[in-house]
Amino acid sequence: MISQPVFKKESTKVDQARILARLRRHWLSAGTQTVLDLSVFLTALVVAYLLRFDFEIPADRRHYLIVQTLFVMLLQFVALTLAGGRNFMWRYTGIAHVKSFIYAALTSLAVVGLMRLMLSDSHQAWRVPVSINLMDAVLAFGGTFALRTLRRVAYEYEKRRGQVRKYGNGDDSQRRRPVLLIGAGQAGALAAKEIAGRGDLDLDIKGFIDDDKMKLGRSVVQRHKVLGATKDIPRLVRSLEIDHVVITIAQASRQDIQRIVKICEEIPIKVRIIPGLYDILAGRVGISRIRDVDIEDLLGREPVRLDVDSISRELANKTVMVTGAGGSIGSELARQVIRFSPAKLLLVERAECALFTIDRALREFDSAGSIVPLIADVGDEPRMRSIFQSYKPHVVIHAAAHKHVPLMETNSREAIKNNVLNTRLLGELAGQFKAETFVLISTDKAVRPTSIMGASKRVAELVVQDLGRRWETRVVAVRFGNVIGSNGSAIPIFQEQIRNGGPLTITDKRMQRYFMTIPEAAQLVLQASAIGKGGEVFVLHMGEPVRIIDLAETLISLSGLRPHLDIKIVETGIRPGEKLYEELQLETEELATSHPKIFVSKITAPESEAIRSALERLTELMRDENEGGLRRFLNELIPGARLALLGPEGESEGTGEALVAGLAAY
C-alpha cells in the first residue's frame, strides 16, 4: 500500500492555518466595526440631549437619557443592519450606499416617534422628545456614514502611497506626464478619479476640455476644471506643456474622434482614448485602461441599439448552434449569444486550435456550463446529422465559409462546395430537425459578383430562400461588407506592414469599401434573426464607403508616422475577382424594418425546381473540374455577374437558357 506523501499533509495544515487566520481577521474586523457603530450611536444620543438642553441636562432628563440609551442604540443598530448599511465593505463606500442609511434613519425615527405617541405619561422615561429624536437620527446615521467615508479615504490614501512606493513616482508632478482629458461628462469624471487613485498610471491631469460652454471654468473632479473647448487644444497644449491628450467621452462618435485627431495631428500631439462604455459595463476592461486611438474608433459609427427583448426571446434558454465558431465573425457571434443565456451554445468548428481559443475565451462568461465545443466539418453529412440528432438546435447561425476573394479565384470548386452545397446541407438538416431559425452570413460581394466567392454567396442566398419555402424553419440571410480586424482583412495586413517598416500595398487608390466593427456586425445579425419572418435577405446599414488609400494613410498617422514619407504606399493593381466599388443591394429600392440599421433587399425567390436544377448543374461542373463551364454558368445564372472566364472554356451546353429562364423572375 502506497502512503500519502508528507508534503500533502503539510500543505493541508498550511491551508487550514490560512483559513483560520482569515476568519480571525474577519471576526476582528466585524467586531471593530460593531463597536465603532455603537459608539457613534451612543455619542449621537448624548450630543442630541446636550444640544436640546444647551449643554445643561436637568437631573430628571439625565435619568431619561440613561433609560433610553440602550433601547435607542439597539434599535438603530438593527435598523442599519436590516437596511443593508452594515453589509458592504467600508473601503468601497459611495453615494450608492446613502439610501441604506436614509432608510435606517427613517425607520428609527418612525419607531421612536410611534412610541412617543402610544405611551402614556406614566412611561415618560421611554418617550424621546421629537427634537432629540430628529437630531439623534441625523447625527447617528450621518456619523456612521461619515465613519465609513473616512475609512475609504484612508484606504485610497494608503493605496496611492503603496503604488508610489512600488512605481517610484513620488509626489513630484514633474516626474508625471501632464495630460488633458477631452470630455467632462460622467465618463471623464470617473476616469479622473481612477487616474488620481492610481500611482502606476504616471499621469498628471491638468484639466478638462469640453465644448459645452456651460461647463467652462467649472470644476469636475477635485481641483480639475474645464479649461476650454476643443478649438483651444493647441493653445493649452503649448501653455501647459501637455504630453498627450485623452478622449474621455463615453460614446464618442466617429466624427468627434476624427475631428479631435485631426486637431491633434496638426499640433502635433499624441491622442489616446478610454475604452468604450460597453466594454466597461461588460467588465472586460477598467475605465483607466487608457489606450491609443485605433482605426475602429475612426471607422466606427454610433453604437448599435438592440431590441434586447426580441433577441432574448429568440435565444434565451434555447440551444443555439454557431458554425465557423473559431473565425472572427463566428467567435464574436458566440460572444454575443452567450450574453442572452442560451440553454446550450454549440460551437461548431473544424480547426482545433481556433475552437480551443474561443471555447477558453467564453468559459469565464459561462457560469451555467452551456458551452459545447464540437470539432466538425459542416460538409460532413453524417457528423452534422449526429450533432443535430443529439442536440436539436433551435437556432442555427451559419458563419462557416470560404471568404477570401483572391484565394477562391484559384479554388473555385472548394468555394462552391463550402459556401453553396454545405449551406444547403446544413439548411436541410435544420429543416428536418425542426430548428426554429436558420441564419446565413452573406456579403456585399454577392451583389453583381465579379468573383467566385461573391457568386457562391449569391447562390447560397437563393438556396436559403428556397429552404424557407420548403421547411417550417425561418430561414434568412444577412448581408454586410468588410469587417474591421477580421482574419485576412486589409487592416491587420496594413498594421503588419507598418510594423515591418513598409511599404503599405494597396491594389488601387480609387478602391472603396464599406466597413463595420465585428461587434456591430454580430449584434445586427442577431437582431435580423429575431425580426425575420423567413425568406428575407437582410442588408445591414454600412454608412459611407471608405477609400482604401485614406484607410492606409490614417493607419500610418495613428502609428505616429507620416504617410508617403516615413512609410511608402504602393499600388499593386486589382487582383482577380476584386471590384473598385462594392454594392449592398442589386435593387433600386429596399424595404425598411423595425430596426433603423437593417433593411430587406427586394428579391423575388426563384422556383424550387429552378434552384434544384442549378445546384445539380453546379455539382456536375465541379465533378468534371470544368472551370470554364462553371464560371460561364454562374455568369448566366446570376443577373449582373461578371466572372472572368479563367481556365479551360469547357462545355457550355445546357448551362444557360433553360435554367436562366427559370431564374429570370428574380
Side-chain angles (χ1 to χ4, degrees), residues 177-425:
R177 293 177 293 166
V179 297
L180 287 173
L181 304 185
I182 302 179
Q186 185 178 10
L190 289 172
K193 286 180 182 177
E194 192 161 346
I195 290 170
R198 293 279 301 274
D200 56 321
L201 291 179
D202 193 25
L203 301 178
D204 180 23
I205 301 170
K206 293 298 184 181
F208 284 88
I209 297 292
D210 201 292
D211 286 331
D212 186 350
K213 295 180 180 178
M214 299 297 293
K215 295 178 181 178
L216 185 62
R218 301 183 66 179
S219 294
V220 179
V221 177
Q222 299 173 354
R223 68 186 188 281
H224 306 308
K225 295 182 179 181
V226 177
L227 304 177
T230 50
K231 64 182 177 60
D232 300 313
I233 292 176
R235 173 179 59 83
L236 293 170
V237 164
R238 287 190 295 270
S239 62
L240 298 175
E241 298 181 347
I242 298 299
D243 180 78
H244 64 273
V245 301
V246 182
I247 299 174
T248 54
I249 305 172
Q251 290 291 0
S253 68
R254 168 187 173 184
Q255 291 76 17
D256 285 338
I257 297 176
Q258 285 178 330
R259 180 171 55 86
I260 293 168
V261 169
K262 186 175 180 181
I263 291 171
C264 293
E265 282 179 349
E266 292 173 355
I267 297 174
I269 191 170
K270 188 176 181 62
V271 187
R272 306 184 76 196
I273 195 169
I274 62 168
L277 192 59
Y278 172 78
D279 289 330
I280 296 169
L281 294 177
R284 296 178 183 174
V285 293
I287 198 165
S288 64
R289 187 69 63 83
I290 299 169
R291 59 171 174 78
D292 292 341
V293 174
D294 60 30
I295 197 67
E296 291 192 26
D297 299 312
L298 298 176
L299 294 182
R301 296 181 298 284
E302 296 302 315
V304 177
R305 290 177 174 81
L306 300 178
D307 181 356
V308 175
D309 292 337
S310 66
I311 298 177
S312 183
R313 287 192 298 270
E314 176 78 4
L315 302 177
N317 300 316
K318 295 183 180 180
T319 299
V320 181
M321 173 189 288
V322 178
T323 69
S328 48
I329 300 298
S331 60
E332 182 61 29
L333 282 165
R335 289 186 181 92
Q336 298 290 340
V337 168
I338 201 70
R339 295 169 52 204
F340 293 94
S341 303
K344 293 287 182 186
L345 175 55
L346 311 179
L347 304 176
V348 177
E349 172 60 58
R350 67 180 180 181
E352 178 191 9
C353 291
L355 181 61
F356 173 79
T357 300
I358 184 59
D359 177 47
R360 185 179 63 175
L362 292 181
R363 288 293 171 183
E364 61 178 298
F365 304 106
D366 182 34
S367 57
S370 61
I371 296 174
V372 182
L374 298 165
I375 295 180
D377 188 324
V378 293
D380 184 345
E381 195 270 346
R383 171 62 170 152
M384 294 309 300
R385 182 175 292 277
S386 172
I387 291 173
F388 272 88
Q389 181 113 35
S390 299
Y391 297 100
K392 295 181 172 56
H394 300 92
V395 179
V396 179
I397 303 175
H398 182 35
H402 288 323
K403 67 172 188 174
H404 297 291
V405 171
L407 275 179
M408 292 306 102
E409 287 302 293
T410 54
N411 295 274
S412 58
R413 292 184 293 280
E414 289 300 313
I416 296 297
K417 182 172 69 174
N418 196 26
N419 294 355
V420 178
L421 301 183
N422 289 354
T423 296
R424 179 183 62 174
L425 169 62

Side-chain angles (χ1 to χ4, degrees), residues 470-490:
R470 295 190 291 106
W471 298 103
E472 294 182 4
T473 300
R474 289 188 301 118
V475 183
V476 300
V478 184
R479 182 189 291 169
F480 52 83
N482 295 271
V483 178
I484 301 170
S486 61
N487 296 334
S489 62

